[in-house]
Amino acid sequence: MEQKNSISGIYIGLLGLVTLACGLADIFVWAGITSGFQVGILEIAGDDFFRWAWGGFIMVCAGLFMLAGSRNALSLQQFGKVTLGAVLVWVIGGTDIFARLCENIPAGEEAPEFFNSFSGFIGGFAPPYPPAVILLPFTLVILYLLYMRAYDTD
């Protein structure tokens, strides 16, 4: 049990660090401290207060919750912190996916029709993605641990 606990704690700690860094980057880009940037499929750029400043703050909180729960991660109290951090990432990632879905329904301003074509709609889901969407698959490990009830109830 101890080996399983340390491996999961390291994974959750690294995930928390990455989440914290992405949240801080969101806030720094929104504040104008640095310009937006794109690395591979990851893009951090925007001046929307709600998404980048507030969403960045929620990502920072998610990272802090994951980091706080990474030591002895499979005890019930610590796993609750980790799960709360993962839920916060899911909320921001879900709103990012929903925003991308909604902005791809109407056609562009230069198009004569109102609704986008099917290929244009599907093409709107191409990369780059915001950090929360990229972190979603990595938080599924936490969902798996929750489903398997891998945490100690002592």
Side-chain angles (χ1 to χ4, degrees), residues 28-59:
F28 290 156
V29 167
W30 172 80
I33 294 172
T34 181
S35 62
F37 59 91
Q38 179 178 350
V39 178
I41 62 170
L42 172 71
E43 179 183 39
I44 299 177
D47 57 354
D48 180 28
F49 173 78
F50 183 75
R51 170 54 194 99
W52 296 106
W54 187 244
F57 175 71
I58 292 174
M59 291 287 286

Side-chain angles (χ1 to χ4, degrees), residues 68-81:
S70 65
R71 183 163 186 224
N72 197 9
L74 294 181
S75 71
L76 183 61
Q77 292 80 10
Q78 298 297 82
F79 194 72
K81 293 177 190 175

Side-chain angles (χ1 to χ4, degrees), residues 1 5 9 29 31 41 61-62 67 70-71 85 93 108 112 126 128 130 146-147 149:
M1 182 71 173
N5 196 2
V29 167
I41 62 170
C61 291
L67 284 173
S70 65
R71 183 163 186 224
L146 183 66
Y147 177 74
R149 295 181 190 232

Side-chain angles (χ1 to χ4, degrees), residues 4-27:
K4 183 179 176 184
N5 196 2
S6 68
I7 290 172
S8 63
I10 291 170
Y11 179 82
I12 291 168
L14 289 174
L15 183 62
L17 281 175
V18 170
T19 305
L20 179 67
C22 289
L24 289 174
D26 284 350
I27 293 171

